[in-house]
Structures are given as structure tokens and as C-alpha cells.
Amino acid sequence: MQEKAWSREELEKALQEAKRRDMSYSSGRILSSMCTAPHQAGVEAFLRFLDTNLGDPGLFPGTRELERRAVAEIASLLGSGSARGFIVSGGTEANITALWVARELSGVTKPEVVLPETAHFSFEKAARMLRLRLVYAGVHGDSSVDVDEVRRRLSERTVAVVGIAGNTEYGGVDDIEALSELASEQGIYLHVDAAFGGFVLPFLRELGYRVRRFDFSLPGVCSITVDPHKMGLAPVPAGCILFRNEEFLESLQVESPYLSMPVQCTLLGTRSGASAAAVFAVLKSMGREGYRRVVEECMRNTLLLREELLRLGFRVREPWMNILVFEHPEVDAVVELRRRGWAVSRTRAGEARVVLMPHVKREHVEELVEVLREIAP
Ligand code: 0PR
């Protein structure tokens, strides 16, 4: 570290330089991200609660109450009046926490988890940390898991089955209803990763789309990951882990005798109250109506882009939600788009993938179509 404090000007210059190198959501060129420009109410609440620490809730009972209310609102969106959980740092922490509970409850010595091969890599991290063996099940052409294969992969060592509601690459939704029946019948823990889909599917259903069930209304579902910092429009970091009831949390309790509360259940100790306050503020500022409008707009843009891509001769995967995957028989769209400053991602199968987040406006889609027209022969 340098000896003398920097002047404000020196610091400002360094920060500005860094900012200049970063991409911005407002450019409309970020098509590879599941995050977006946060809602202003969330930004303001985040700043006001910046100094709060939910690792010591006795000092910040007001902030703890905001977290409790935010969690209850998200639970009610996902079909439960009694689910409990926490605002966490994101989908990774939420998925780790869920598998931690499943393993604690099982008492199995060489535990295994059966999950779709489309699962996010956060499960790989969870498995290494918790010493779980991951047993992958294949997927159908629409990217949803083959439930018969899940059944065949179960063993006496299986401590959890994972289903995904909105998989990272295609937005695919597994047949969670069938997984729920299977899990109930076999007495196995079922975790649903709705990190992305949790703030999309309920609103798609309200808009009249045919949507698979995935939430606590299915009796076998024990826990759900859902990320406010994705389609929930909250500032990063904000994930949420929900458990069907309070009892699931008991297996996580660690004594924290010198703190204001005798036990702690979260993976993190010191953790952001700003995130919880921001999630609360965004939920209250949006309401179902607000989210429905956002999802409606994202889907409109997704379907517009799909139509244009088909017209230009691209092969397009049928979208489940606001994630579109496509490829051209002759050109590598990913390379061409990146060369022109558009951040697009690639699926493991090599296709181009774009996420039509709320920062991607209709005019950006139209600009994108112009570029695609140039590169498509
Ligand atoms: N579960 C699913 C289904 C996900 O898609 C993701 C992240 C996670 C869990 C893990 O969530 P956290 O990253 O919050 O821990 N999906 C995106 C991905 O890895 C996250 C992302 C977001 C990537 C913004 C890029 C980006 O710019 O692809």
C-alpha cells in the first residue's frame, strides 16, 4: 500500500478509468447477463442500509424485520404462506445452503445428489465443499430433465434431487411436478433452482402463458433458490433461499453465544442488511403488476427477435422464457456479434445465447436485427 493518502482527484481518475472500461447495461449491448440495471428504489434503500449487518440481527432488528418481510413476500409469490429463509448473496450460496440442509438431514455416509446435466456450475462447487457425489441425468431435446432417468439414478445414497425452473443456458423448466411425486414417493429431498425463473414464471402464468408448476404448491418441494438480483431487479448481491418450513433451518444452526442471538443458520456470518432492505424496497415498489409489465416487455422482445431470426434463416430454439438460443448454418453469430461490440454468450453445444433482460429495449433488439441481417448470408 502507498504511504500517503491519495487526493480526491487521483482517486477519481482511477475510478473513472475503471468505469470507462466496463460495459454498461444502458448501452443495450449486454445480452449475456442474467443481471440488469437495478430498480432505483433498491439502490436508495441499499445506500441507506449500507452499514447494517444481519450477522448480528440483535443490533439491527428493523433491518431483520425487512428481511423477514421480503422473504415472506417472495414465499407467497412461490405458493407458500409458511416458507422460511434468508436473503443471501446469490444463487450459488442459496444452492450450497439447500444441499447442506439435505445432507445434514439425511445422515448418509457417501451422499449423492441426482441433478439434470443442465444444472448450473454452482452445484459443482456445493458438491466439492460438501463432499457430495453428483449423479447427472440427461435431458430431452427441449432441455428439460428426463425424469425416468432421474428415477433410474436414485440409490440408497441419494440425499437430494434437484430440478431447475429456468436453466441457465436455455431457460428450460423441468417437470417439477413429476419430480415432486417421485421425491415424495421415495422420501427424498427435492430442491428447485429457480434462481432465474422464480421472478419470471409466476408472471408469465398471470400473462396467460402455459407454464409448468415448480413451486411450494407441489408437496415434494423442500427448498427453492430464487434470485432477486436477476429478474427481481434488486442490486447485486441478492439471492434468496426458501425452505418449506422452519424445521429445515434447524439442521443449520450453529451456536453464536457472544452475539445478540444464540444461533445462526446462514453460511455467511457478517452479511449485508443493505441487500435485504433493497430487496424489500424493490418488491414493494414493483408489486405483481410491475413485475408482470417487465416480464411482458421482455417476452415481447424475445418473440420479436425470434421472429426476425427465423426470417433471416437462423435456427432458433423454442424459448421457454426471455432466453433465446440460435445458430446459423454458415456463420458463427457469436464471433461476429462480439466483434461488433455485442456481449453474447455461447451454450456448451456451441449455439449463440442471448438473455432479453429489462435493460434490453425494443430499439436495441432492432439494432441487433440490423447487425444480424449483415452477417447472415
Ligand atoms: N442457478 C442458476 C439457474 C443460474 O443461472 C445461476 C447463475 C446460479 C444458480 C448462480 O447464481 P449466482 O451467480 O447469483 O451465484 N447464472 C448466471 C451464469 O452463471 C449468472 C450470471 C449473471 C452470469 C450475470 C453472467 C452475468 O453477467 O451464467
Side-chain angles (χ1 to χ4, degrees):
M1 188 186 287
Q2 89 285 356
E3 178 60 25
K4 292 258 190 238
W6 273 12
S7 67
R8 283 181 76 107
E9 292 70 36
E10 279 171 303
L11 177 60
E12 181 54 28
K13 187 162 167 275
L15 296 182
Q16 258 182 30
E17 254 164 42
K19 251 302 179 218
R20 209 174 30 242
R21 294 183 56 202
D22 287 353
M23 288 188 77
S24 75
Y25 293 115
S26 61
S27 70
R29 296 296 187 270
I30 299 181
L31 302 176
S32 55
S33 174
M34 288 185 157
C35 294
T36 192
H39 190 291
Q40 190 56 28
V43 174
E44 285 164 22
F46 195 98
L47 294 174
R48 281 175 70 185
F49 286 78
L50 209 50
D51 56 352
T52 63
N53 169 17
L54 285 174
D56 199 355
L59 300 183
F60 306 103
T63 311
R64 173 69 187 109
E65 178 64 9
L66 292 183
E67 179 185 40
R68 202 193 54 72
R69 290 177 68 184
V71 166
E73 294 254 351
I74 298 171
S76 84
L77 181 68
L78 301 183
S80 171
S82 50
R84 294 281 181 275
F86 302 98
I87 300 299
V88 295
S89 57
T92 301
E93 187 188 343
N95 286 337
I96 291 170
T97 306
L99 294 194
W100 184 15
V101 167
R103 204 198 60 177
E104 292 291 300
L105 291 176
S106 75
V108 169
T109 44
K110 287 186 168 174
E112 298 178 355
V113 172
V114 180
L115 73 175
E117 59 188 23
T118 47
H120 186 258
F121 54 78
S122 48
F123 289 102
E124 177 87 35
K125 297 181 185 177
R128 291 197 209 171
M129 291 171 66
L130 296 163
R131 296 192 179 278
L132 300 163
R133 193 167 90 89
L134 294 181
V135 180
Y136 286 101
V139 297
H140 300 296
D142 66 0
S143 89
S144 74
V145 74
D146 179 342
V147 177
D148 291 330
E149 189 174 337
V150 171
R151 180 187 287 276
R152 290 198 299 277
R153 302 259 176 235
L154 299 179
S155 78
E156 68 279 4
R157 290 177 178 167
T158 310
V159 300
V161 168
V162 173
I164 315 172
N167 63 48
T168 310
E169 288 175 295
Y170 302 99
V173 181
D174 293 330
D175 186 349
I176 312 281
E177 199 162 347
L179 292 177
S180 166
E181 274 170 32
L182 179 61
S184 298
E185 170 196 310
Q186 305 279 328
I188 295 173
Y189 187 105
L190 174 60
H191 172 65
V192 175
D193 183 356
F196 188 76
F199 273 101
V200 181
L201 294 167
F203 306 112
L204 280 181
R205 182 179 299 121
E206 289 175 6
L207 289 163
Y209 287 83
R210 272 177 61 94
V211 167
R212 278 182 158 169
R213 291 172 67 195
F214 72 100
D215 63 14
F216 287 115
S217 65
L218 300 169
V221 174
C222 299
S223 54
I224 303 180
T225 287
V226 48
D227 278 354
H229 71 199
K230 295 191 168 78
M231 285 295 285
L233 310 182
V236 173
C240 179
I241 179 65
L242 293 169
F243 294 93
R244 176 170 284 279
N245 58 50
E246 186 108 40
E247 281 161 40
F248 285 100
L249 293 179
E250 284 163 14
S251 61
L252 294 179
Q253 285 181 357
V254 171
E255 283 179 30
S256 49
Y258 50 86
L259 295 185
S260 52
M261 294 290 172
V263 293
Q264 210 176 70
C265 302
T266 48
L267 181 57
L268 301 189
T270 298
R271 61 192 186 93
S272 169
S275 293
V279 172
F280 176 82
V282 177
L283 292 172
K284 287 298 180 191
S285 302
M286 292 292 287
R288 279 180 183 261
E289 186 191 30
Y291 281 115
R292 204 156 53 232
R293 255 199 311 270
V294 167
V295 168
E296 186 174 28
E297 193 58 33
C298 291
M299 273 320 281
R300 194 175 296 149
N301 287 333
T302 305
L303 297 177
L304 169 68
L305 180 58
R306 169 185 173 275
E307 206 173 300
E308 296 291 344
L309 282 164
L310 287 172
R311 214 193 306 267
L312 292 171
F314 287 83
R315 277 197 296 266
V316 188
R317 290 263 205 156
E318 208 42 52
W320 291 82
M321 49 185 76
N322 50 329
I323 298 175
L324 204 59
V325 172
F326 57 91
E327 59 185 345
H328 197 278
E330 289 139 58
V331 291
D332 187 338
V334 176
V335 170
E336 296 300 329
L337 288 170
R338 283 183 184 163
R339 212 202 315 270
R340 291 165 173 81
W342 294 79
V344 294
S345 50
R346 199 189 282 287
T347 65
R348 279 174 282 189
E351 306 139 302
R353 164 187 175 270
V354 296
V355 190
L356 283 296
M357 292 300 290
H359 61 265
V360 183
K361 307 293 180 199
R362 190 188 167 97
E363 64 257 30
H364 302 128
V365 175
E366 285 164 357
E367 289 168 34
L368 177 67
V369 170
E370 285 315 309
V371 177
L372 289 164
R373 202 187 308 281
E374 282 169 28
I375 66 177

